[in-house]
Amino acid sequence: MLCPSRLLALSALAFLSLAHAQQPVTVQTDQGAVVGQQAAARTFLGIPYAAPPVGELRWKPPQPAAAWNTPRDASKFGGECAQTVLALFALPGETPGAVKGQEDCLYLNVYAPKGATPASNLPVMVWIHGGAYTAGSANAYDGSVLAEKNNMLVVTLNYRLGALGWLSLPALGGEAGGGQSGNYGLMDQQAALKWVQSNITAFGGDPAKVTIAGESAGGMSNCAHLASPASAGLFRGAIIQSGLCTSPGNSVTLADAQNRNQKYASNLGCKADDLACLRAAPVDKLLSTKVPGLRPAANLVWSPVYASKLLPLTLRDAFTTGQFNRVPVMNGTNHDEGRLFVSVASPNGKPISPVVYWGGTGLTVGAANTTKVLRQYPYRNFGTPALAFATMFTDAVFSCPALRVNAALSKYVPVYAFEFNDPNAVTIVKTPVDLPSLGAHHSSGLAYAFQSKVDGLADFADFTPAQRQLSDAFSAAWVAFIKTGKPASADWKTFDPAQNNVQVFTPDGVRPSILFSNDHRCNFWQELDLK
């Protein structure tokens, strides 16, 4: 047994070690000084980039954050935005369907290498999280490894979600002037990008070297920033991972959204033009109210709306006509995106039946196209209806729309197309009983890119040596693009619509391929031309 004096000495040593491992570091921002922590990297957490969007600021453009006079503690995350827990990404202790988070949530986090100074002028990645515009948080992504390992800065940000971020109503448009309503979450992202322009130099970053990156709804947000005149000049490159940018049903106009959302307002017990009633509604009620009689995909419009002031054109029209912010783009998908969504389509976790497969296909492609699609993807050819649905969903919603985006953008800017394909990608998501595995499912590449744990998805510590090698290659491609606008691989050529060339990342190596279109039956989907 150790004597008391020895215990005291060890305790003091541990305290000194901790003090050395985590040292406070202060940076001056436009609003005031923030005190972060320096360990393996510098971290500044929970910095407000806009005023809390509460009370009268609910459903209004983000306003400037208030200044502070004494240094602000930036050692802890700010609150995540109010949201309903999604079953797919529920963390231990969370109940699917429950509401968590808060309205006061417009915070961002900055990760910088230890030696960064205002004179460093380092490249910056601004990360926009996914979650179907209804869930997710900046706090799930640790940017410290990317920052320290690659001598760059990483910024992660929150933005308003669900009804709080995307509600469109005529009364809100009339209040704002010019008919603009909805897209508050997109305006939050733009406010955060403007904050980066004004403040990132103090942390060691270069505002002229900002690349936006995001996955799923975050990737689609980046497509919206490409198309939004209000985002011009806020970034010099874009990484789009699994962005669904021209996927079926994703081009809702402001007029359609306002029309649909009137039913939502009435189900809250408010008239659609009674903004005082709507602003007084409890957050839990706002996020749990449904509209009977509408299929889930059309239930509510919690996503960007087009033919609006912020997004004058749909993404397809903006990209095909060249009316977008012209910067280099990396655009990619995962080989088995749709396998994650089988859990949603599967009733009570049971195997998907042929009838459910038929119904899910109709919801995805529309009733008029169901028969054609089922003939193209007969479930008997796949072993189970679940695998047929997952494959069809991957091709229709992710892979082939991404190819369409590549073709459109590549007429005007350099585009680098990629596919992440680890057949046994590390994940903590449970595999449905009627799938052979989750494969390279939706969101599975994120831990490989960040080279760290991503809450609710995967932990880098669980990677095999081959997966670590894949992660090194995948992450290095992102980093090279962030630093130079090119992935820095001799065999990775810019996208050519005549070749449909895609860089494929697998545990066996990284190589260009012209088989992507065939693999995902994109000729079929191009002829079907879903909108």
Side-chain angles (χ1 to χ4, degrees):
M1 180 179 294
L2 290 173
C3 66
S5 60
R6 180 67 61 85
L7 283 172
L8 253 154
L10 287 174
S11 298
L13 198 61
F15 176 81
L16 288 172
S17 176
L18 183 63
H20 178 73
Q22 301 240 345
Q23 299 175 343
V25 56
T26 302
V27 168
Q28 184 70 35
T29 74
D30 287 350
Q31 287 76 37
V34 292
V35 183
Q37 296 291 323
Q38 178 170 297
R42 290 182 175 180
T43 59
F44 302 85
L45 310 177
I47 303 174
Y49 67 83
V54 300
E56 287 301 307
L57 294 184
R58 181 188 279 181
W59 299 309
K60 286 188 176 178
Q63 301 300 306
W68 52 86
N69 295 321
T70 58
R72 180 186 179 96
D73 179 20
S75 64
K76 298 178 181 178
F77 289 120
E80 61 185 4
C81 289
Q83 58 193 273
T84 303
V85 176
L86 298 180
L88 281 174
F89 303 120
L91 298 174
E94 293 182 345
T95 303
V99 173
K100 67 174 183 176
Q102 60 192 50
E103 279 194 87
D104 177 5
C105 65
L106 299 187
Y107 300 96
L108 55 75
N109 311 305
V110 179
Y111 301 87
K114 290 192 295 291
T117 72
S120 297
N121 296 322
L122 299 176
V124 182
M125 181 183 87
V126 177
W127 177 254
I128 302 176
H129 71 78
Y133 292 112
T134 61
S137 169
N139 305 346
Y141 302 89
D142 181 0
S144 59
V145 175
L146 275 179
E148 182 61 30
K149 181 177 178 180
N150 301 291
N151 201 33
M152 57 183 273
L153 273 71
V154 176
V155 178
T156 67
L157 61 96
N158 290 337
Y159 56 94
R160 282 173 280 182
L161 302 168
L164 293 164
W166 308 97
L167 180 66
S168 297
L169 287 171
L172 289 170
E175 178 185 66
Q180 174 69 51
S181 73
N183 289 338
Y184 303 105
L186 192 66
M187 286 187 258
D188 293 342
Q189 296 170 15
Q190 290 171 335
L193 288 168
K194 290 174 183 175
W195 184 95
V196 169
Q197 288 296 307
S198 297
N199 292 281
I200 205 65
T201 299
F203 295 86
D206 186 341
K209 299 176 183 176
V210 172
T211 297
I212 55 175
E215 184 264 351
S216 196
M220 186 176 171
S221 293
N222 288 344
C223 283
H225 289 302
L226 288 172
S228 178
S231 297
L234 297 178
F235 55 94
R236 70 167 187 177
I239 298 175
I240 303 162
Q241 171 71 64
S242 309
L244 308 97
C245 297
T246 60
S247 298
N250 277 352
S251 297
V252 179
T253 66
L254 174 61
D256 286 342
Q258 291 183 154
N259 186 41
R260 274 189 222 172
N261 290 341
Q262 306 230 18
K263 295 180 182 179
Y264 166 76
S266 63
N267 273 39
L268 282 169
C270 298
K271 294 181 180 179
D273 60 355
D274 189 348
L275 298 183
C277 177
L278 290 168
R279 289 193 168 112
V283 171
D284 287 13
K285 191 173 182 180
L286 285 173
L287 297 180
S288 59
T289 292
K290 305 296 181 185
V291 179
L294 291 176
R295 64 184 176 86
N299 199 351
L300 303 168
V301 186
W302 304 151
S303 63
V305 291
Y306 303 90
S308 64
K309 184 177 180 181
L310 209 63
L311 292 166
L313 302 174
T314 66
L315 296 179
R316 183 183 288 203
D317 288 345
F319 295 166
T320 56
T321 61
Q323 298 178 71
F324 63 91
N325 300 312
R326 298 187 183 183
V327 298
V329 172
M330 266 184 72
N331 183 33
T333 56
N334 297 339
H335 186 269
D336 308 301
E337 299 270 9
R339 295 193 188 188
L340 183 70
F341 301 95
V342 168
S343 297
V344 176
S346 175
N348 303 316
K350 297 179 181 178
I352 289 179
S353 68
V355 172
V356 171
Y357 172 41
W358 179 86
T361 300
L363 289 174
T364 303
V365 304
N369 298 303
T370 301
T371 300
K372 289 181 182 178
V373 173
L374 291 175
R375 286 174 180 165
Q376 186 69 210
Y377 294 83
Y379 73 86
R380 291 182 179 84
N381 289 5
F382 291 86
T384 65
L387 188 55
F389 175 79
T391 306
M392 178 278 297
F393 198 81
T394 297
D395 299 350
V397 176
F398 291 96
S399 303
C400 299
L403 209 62
R404 182 188 299 122
V405 169
N406 296 337
L409 294 177
S410 65
K411 295 179 182 178
Y412 306 97
V413 298
V415 174
Y416 298 91
F418 68 89
E419 181 177 63
F420 173 80
N421 186 11
D422 182 351
N424 300 295
V426 172
T427 181
I428 62 173
V429 181
K430 186 178 179 181
T431 302
V433 295
D434 44 354
L435 286 181
S437 72
L438 282 174
H441 66 75
H442 185 65
S443 73
S444 62
L446 297 181
Y448 292 73
F450 276 84
Q451 301 205 296
S452 62
K453 180 180 179 181
V454 177
D455 284 347
L457 296 174
D459 192 342
F460 183 73
D462 297 330
F463 284 16
T464 66
Q467 288 170 328
R468 286 178 180 269
Q469 188 172 352
L470 169 59
S471 174
D472 286 342
F474 193 53
S475 186
W478 285 38
V479 169
F481 181 83
I482 291 163
K483 290 185 174 183
T484 68
K486 299 179 180 179
S489 175
D491 64 0
W492 191 343
K493 309 298 183 184
T494 55
F495 183 81
D496 178 0
Q499 301 253 334
N500 285 329
N501 53 304
V502 174
Q503 198 82 348
V504 180
F505 290 80
T506 75
D508 296 328
V510 182
R511 59 186 64 88
S513 173
I514 58 173
L515 300 178
F516 180 93
S517 179
N518 292 341
D519 188 17
H520 296 287
R521 310 184 190 208
C522 292
N523 287 340
F524 168 77
W525 293 107
Q526 185 176 9
E527 291 175 6
L528 205 57
D529 196 24
L530 301 178
K531 295 181 180 178

